[in-house]
Amino acid sequence: MEAVPQTRATALAIGGLAPHRMRRQRLGDTLFRGTTRGFALGVLLLLGAIITALFVGSLPAFRAFGFGFLFNSSWNPVTENFGALPAIYGTVITSFLAMLLAMPLAFGVAIFLTELCPRALRRPIGVLIELLAAIPSIIYGIWGLFILAPFLQTTLQPALIASFGRLPLIGALFGGPPLGLGILTASMILAIMVLPFIASVSRDVFQTVPAMLRESAYAMGATTAEVVRDIVIPHSRIGIVGGVMLGLGRALGETMAVTFVIGNAHRIKASLLAPGTTISATLANEFTEAVSQLYTSSLIALGLILFVITLIVLAAANYMLWRLSGETT
Amino acid sequence: MKGVGLYAQRRATNFVILSLSMAATAAGLVVLFLILGALLWHGIPALSGDLFTRMTPPPGSKGGLLNAIYGSAVMTAAATLLGTPVGILTGTFLAEFGRGSRLAQAVRFVNDILLSAPSIIIGLFVYEMMVVPMGHFSAWAGTIALAIIVVPVVVRTSENMLTLVPASLREAAVALGTPQWKMVVMVVYRAAIQGMLTGVMLAIARIAGETAPLLFTALNNQFWSGDMNGAMANLPVVIFQFALSPYADWQLLAWGGALLITLAILTLNIFARLVASWSSFAK
């Protein structure tokens, strides 16, 4: 280490390091800090870049169809008349049904894991349920197509048609032949896929309920079900809604599993047994086959719509879960 | 004895609700085992030497999944190598430098959204940014799409793990006159290495089965290709195409591929959890 005479005094004053070393260290710190900040900014910009790219890509479609694109229910590649309504309808209805099916199951799992399960089994069962989330979408698709759909076609669907098909209003929901593939099957697959997300968030928020509250209720003679209904659920309401929204965000954008079992028909039918389509399934099926610019652009416009919907849902979900973590810590 | 009647009724309600919650859990587990069972049932007959040594065949002739396995491995590895440093550096910013700052809050919020954003949208984005300008599908485009999915997973876990490192370790390093970057790299990273490794493994498990982002980027290739600039076969897209085909031998290969991918992912997932539970600060 060479000393630089004229600045030796200052160097000694700030800790005895030679000034060029000090400067090098500062430079190193600034560089490191700057690099990490740069990458963080990059993540931020990525979201903007995605929206911009989708917007630019969908301009031709919006120019050709205007806002009517959102409400047009035809999808005809030959005459190049495209509308998003059937895909939006399919996306919303499958996700809605999936949440309807998944929520009670997920809360059941969360209640079981926090209130009922022997301590030694909590972790293994929790992990097994979470493994449902690790299975890739395409595996659910292949399972849904070859196992679940034929099973539903011969069991649940004929039963539904026989018992509800003739009722005045509800009958329309269960009309038509049992095809196996369709809105209902897609919703059931989606329900299985979002179950672990809702269950694990619910379990985590149930666990944040202070033991004292719970024990007080038990000491008053409340049953486990009453403790859950009157103490645990009211205390973790925001977290539960956040978890449900998170699951909804997943369900809306789920692609491969739905593509396998939805039947891919650009039609809006009242019956839940009828085939339909979703935005993501339309993209997966048609994007590589779209030849004309307007066709491609309409598909990208569908993608933009999907992204905006999921963005809103996920932002709301994260906001709620954040407020919660701000409260408890 | 009205009180006893009410008590019996409350006990009955309790019993019904708890039974239902147990049934819900059982249903979840049964579905998991049904899926794994179906994969084993249909997938094991497809496992043979051919599966690992031959290319994807035209319908009606014998073949395997060698090119698809290779393509998946290459793209997953490249995407992990690209995405991990970005994720770790961003996580470092959030945990070390940006605590409480507006930028960090915004990044955290956006990252949580990207974590659950539909992967098919990422595929569309990369199609617009790379495939259109380049004029053709390529393994690089597929790699970038997967890397974009890796980043938020790694950001999230590395931030969490770095935040768990006790402040006293940092203070001890700083008190010795260590520059900040050296403190982070030599002390904090070392303390959190297991946790960050878990994040990377979970990210690999996440992208190994991703199909949607590869459909418009890497596409597929029936032949052996080591060219990252061209379309490349990969397991998920091959499974997608073969499963939906009318040919029994293609469907069999699809089941074989599905079994391979699921076993790999579940193993990785369980292993990642084990590593996380060894980690000294998690808990």
Side-chain angles (χ1 to χ4, degrees):
Chain A
M1 197 197 315
E2 316 125 62
V4 187
Q6 59 266 45
T7 49
R8 182 163 231 178
T10 41
L12 285 171
I14 48 172
L17 275 184
H20 68 279
R21 253 192 96 183
M22 194 73 196
R23 235 177 286 133
R24 212 195 305 148
Q25 287 199 352
R26 282 232 188 92
L27 185 69
D29 274 357
T30 316
L31 273 179
F32 188 65
R33 221 183 254 254
T35 317
T36 62
R37 176 189 290 263
F39 280 108
L41 271 173
V43 170
L44 203 59
L45 292 179
L46 183 61
L47 185 71
I50 294 175
I51 295 178
T52 314
L54 292 181
F55 184 74
V56 170
S58 56
L59 270 181
F62 282 125
R63 238 180 245 137
F65 304 114
F67 269 107
F69 182 71
L70 294 176
F71 309 106
N72 182 356
S73 64
S74 64
W75 185 269
N76 191 334
V78 182
T79 60
E80 300 221 307
N81 182 11
F82 299 108
L85 198 60
I88 295 178
Y89 168 79
T91 306
V92 172
I93 192 82
T94 48
S95 301
F96 175 76
L97 279 177
M99 300 316 289
L100 221 57
L101 293 168
M103 275 191 310
L105 283 175
F107 297 151
V109 171
I111 293 170
F112 176 78
L113 286 177
T114 49
E115 311 293 331
L116 210 58
C117 185
R119 203 159 279 276
L121 286 178
R122 269 183 203 180
R123 231 180 101 75
I125 294 183
V127 168
L128 283 177
I129 294 286
E130 279 170 18
L131 281 186
L132 276 175
I135 295 177
S137 179
I138 187 148
I139 304 302
Y140 281 101
I142 194 172
W143 183 74
L145 178 68
F146 290 112
I147 314 283
L148 185 66
F151 175 74
L152 292 178
Q153 187 177 16
T154 50
T155 53
L156 180 71
Q157 293 191 347
L160 283 175
I161 293 170
S163 44
F164 299 113
R166 292 178 188 203
L167 295 180
L169 278 169
I170 321 169
L173 290 177
F174 301 102
L179 297 170
L181 303 178
I183 302 268
L184 184 68
T185 312
S187 307
M188 291 177 76
I189 293 269
L190 280 178
I192 302 169
M193 297 181 74
V194 297
L195 167 72
F197 290 97
I198 308 177
S200 75
V201 173
S202 310
R203 181 197 57 191
D204 292 348
V205 292
F206 283 1
Q207 276 167 351
T208 64
V209 176
M212 205 205 291
L213 285 182
R214 217 176 258 164
E215 283 158 14
S216 311
Y218 278 122
M220 306 273 288
T223 62
T224 308
E226 284 162 353
V227 170
V228 168
R229 192 190 62 201
D230 299 329
I231 308 290
V232 175
I233 291 180
H235 192 272
S236 40
R237 205 180 298 129
I238 307 177
I240 294 175
V241 177
V244 168
M245 300 279 268
L246 197 68
L248 179 61
R250 291 270 172 173
L252 287 165
E254 193 45 68
T255 308
M256 299 320 292
V258 175
T259 308
F260 272 90
V261 296
I262 189 122
N264 303 308
H266 281 277
R267 266 170 294 151
I268 301 179
K269 285 261 181 100
S271 174
L272 300 179
L273 308 180
T277 191
T278 66
I279 293 179
S280 49
T282 307
L283 285 171
N285 270 317
E286 300 180 23
F287 196 79
T288 42
E289 286 158 20
V291 274
S292 77
Q293 198 213 2
L294 192 58
Y295 195 178
T296 309
S297 172
S298 301
L299 287 166
I300 295 175
L302 278 183
L304 180 65
I305 295 169
L306 172 67
F307 196 46
V308 171
I309 299 175
T310 46
L311 218 57
I312 294 169
V313 171
L314 290 174
N318 287 325
Y319 177 71
M320 279 178 215
L321 292 174
W322 269 27
R323 239 177 64 186
L324 191 78
S325 66
E327 270 170 21
T328 48
T329 50
Chain B
M1 294 304 274
K2 205 179 171 193
V4 173
L6 182 62
Y7 182 59
Q9 193 193 324
R10 285 173 55 209
R11 295 253 326 226
T13 318
N14 189 44
F15 179 76
V16 170
I17 290 190
L18 295 186
S19 309
L20 284 177
S21 85
M22 210 181 290
T25 311
L29 297 179
V30 164
V31 169
L32 177 68
F33 289 118
L34 279 178
I35 294 174
L36 295 181
L39 281 172
L40 290 172
W41 181 260
H42 293 277
I44 285 179
L47 295 183
S48 65
D50 280 358
L51 196 71
F52 302 98
T53 53
R54 300 178 72 157
M55 308 295 152
T56 47
S61 55
K62 290 188 77 174
L65 295 169
L66 178 62
N67 48 342
I69 295 172
Y70 171 80
S72 270
V74 167
M75 282 191 276
T76 306
T80 312
L81 288 178
L82 273 175
T84 305
V86 178
I88 288 183
L89 285 171
T90 307
T92 309
F93 174 77
L94 294 178
E96 302 291 328
F97 305 122
R99 281 192 192 177
S101 76
R102 281 239 168 133
L103 176 63
Q105 270 183 330
V107 170
R108 214 171 278 134
F109 195 73
V110 165
N111 191 68
D112 278 356
I113 288 178
L114 287 176
L115 198 60
S116 315
S119 57
I120 193 155
I121 298 294
I122 310 286
L124 269 187
F125 170 64
V126 174
Y127 174 85
E128 284 279 287
M129 301 303 284
M130 288 183 70
V131 178
V132 172
M134 287 165 73
H136 55 85
F137 297 100
S138 73
W140 276 122
T143 303
I144 299 288
L146 294 180
I148 293 178
I149 297 171
V150 167
V151 171
V153 182
V154 177
V155 170
R156 186 65 179 281
T157 43
S158 45
E159 190 205 348
N160 286 348
M161 294 304 151
L162 293 175
T163 321
L164 287 175
V165 176
S168 51
L169 275 183
R170 292 191 182 90
E171 283 157 8
V174 171
L176 291 171
T178 322
Q180 218 172 358
W181 69 265
K182 220 174 200 171
M183 180 264 285
V184 170
V185 175
M186 312 281 268
V187 178
V188 182
Y189 280 175
R190 267 193 210 177
I193 187 76
Q194 280 141 323
M196 299 205 295
L197 206 62
T198 309
V200 175
M201 286 196 283
L202 289 178
I204 298 176
R206 168 88 196 270
I207 59 171
E210 277 291 354
T211 318
L214 294 177
L215 282 175
F216 322 141
T217 51
L219 200 68
N220 195 357
N221 192 335
Q222 226 195 310
F223 307 102
W224 174 269
S225 167
D227 178 15
M228 294 288 282
N229 270 318
M232 195 183 261
N234 56 87
L235 272 177
V237 177
V238 168
I239 295 173
F240 177 50
Q241 290 185 345
F242 281 17
L244 286 176
S245 77
Y247 313 110
D249 46 350
W250 272 17
Q251 289 179 0
L252 185 67
L253 280 176
W255 278 110
L259 178 63
L260 285 184
I261 238 174
T262 311
L263 286 183
I265 287 171
L266 292 186
T267 313
L268 203 57
N269 229 283
I270 292 169
F271 192 64
R273 280 161 206 274
L274 284 178
V275 171
S277 63
W278 297 331
S279 150
S280 32
F281 301 111
K283 288 259 153 136

